[in-house]
């Protein structure tokens, strides 16, 4: 069917380009469908993302990334470790979880995870979850996660699961509305 190797290569490139266009088309279709289902991105989330991008660029110029081994060594010497995250970016929570896993491997001290996303009046629900008296779905409902926090549960759920699996206390850090 092919006269030369060049014909074969041209046909392969053409098929690859057709596949790339199809994938792009499917991706665009899924983006549109998601936007139709979810509605436009709220202006607050867009502003949060712009702030994140600006802060990250500024920090990247001023600081260099620490090696995980050095971070863990310093963490083992500390009494308290504060970890912040950018709530909209799943990688931020995955990095926190990775840090916790590594810290647990190395540290013999007590670990407690404080959660900004939960208010202190929901502490009992966190305790019930850790004691396996309620499941993840019930916890999410009782702490009113979707309404009060609103960021992707799938980004934060692994931290909850990790704490439960390793019997690490979870402490609600936020204050209830009205305080």
């Amino acid at each position: 069917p092919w006269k030369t190797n060049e014909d074969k290569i041209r046909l392969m490139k053409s098929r690859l380009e057709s596949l790339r266009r199809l994938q792009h088309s499917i991706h665009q279709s899924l983006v549109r469908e998601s936007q139709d289902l979810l509605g436009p991105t709220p202006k607050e989330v867009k502003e949060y993302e712009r702030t994140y991008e600006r802060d990250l660029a500024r920090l990247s110029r001023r600081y260099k990334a620490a090696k995980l081994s050095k971070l863990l060594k310093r963490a083992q010497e500390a009494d308290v470790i504060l970890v912040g995250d950018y709530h909209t970016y799943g990688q931020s929570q995955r990095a926190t979880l990775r840090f916790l896993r590594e810290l647990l491997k190395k540290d013999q001290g007590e670990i407690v995870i404080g959660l900004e996303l939960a208010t202190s009046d929901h502490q009992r629900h966190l305790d019930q979850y850790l004691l396996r008296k309620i499941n993840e779905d019930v916890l999410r409902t009782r702490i009113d996660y979707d309404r009060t926090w609103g960021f992707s549960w799938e980004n934060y759920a692994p931290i909850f699961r990790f704490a439960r699996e390793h019997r690490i206390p979870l402490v609600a850090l936020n204050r209830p509305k009205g305080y």
Side-chain angles (χ1 to χ4, degrees), residues 40-58:
T41 303
K43 66 179 181 178
E44 294 86 0
V45 173
K46 286 182 178 181
E47 179 57 32
Y48 184 86
E49 186 175 22
R50 279 191 295 275
T51 300
Y52 165 79
E53 296 291 344
R54 185 185 65 237
D55 290 351
L56 184 61
R58 189 178 71 240

Side-chain angles (χ1 to χ4, degrees), residues 125-165:
H125 305 306
L126 295 173
D127 297 340
Q128 290 170 339
Y129 172 76
L130 292 172
L131 294 170
R132 299 182 184 277
K133 292 182 178 179
I134 61 174
N135 66 30
E136 194 174 295
D137 292 331
V138 173
L139 172 69
R140 185 175 172 183
T141 300
R142 289 192 181 166
I143 65 172
D144 202 13
Y145 180 89
D146 294 322
R147 188 182 65 76
T148 59
W149 196 244
F151 297 102
S152 174
W153 173 255
E154 291 311 312
N155 292 348
Y156 287 92
I159 295 171
F160 282 87
R161 294 174 195 142
F162 178 81
R164 187 176 187 173
E165 178 184 341

Side-chain angles (χ1 to χ4, degrees), residues 52 56 83-99 101 152 154-156 158-159:
Y52 165 79
L56 184 61
V83 178
D85 73 335
Y86 280 97
H87 311 323
T88 58
Y89 289 96
Q91 181 56 39
S92 189
Q93 291 83 41
R94 286 188 296 275
T96 299
L97 185 58
R98 179 178 175 212
F99 178 70
R101 282 185 181 130
S152 174
E154 291 311 312
N155 292 348
Y156 287 92
I159 295 171

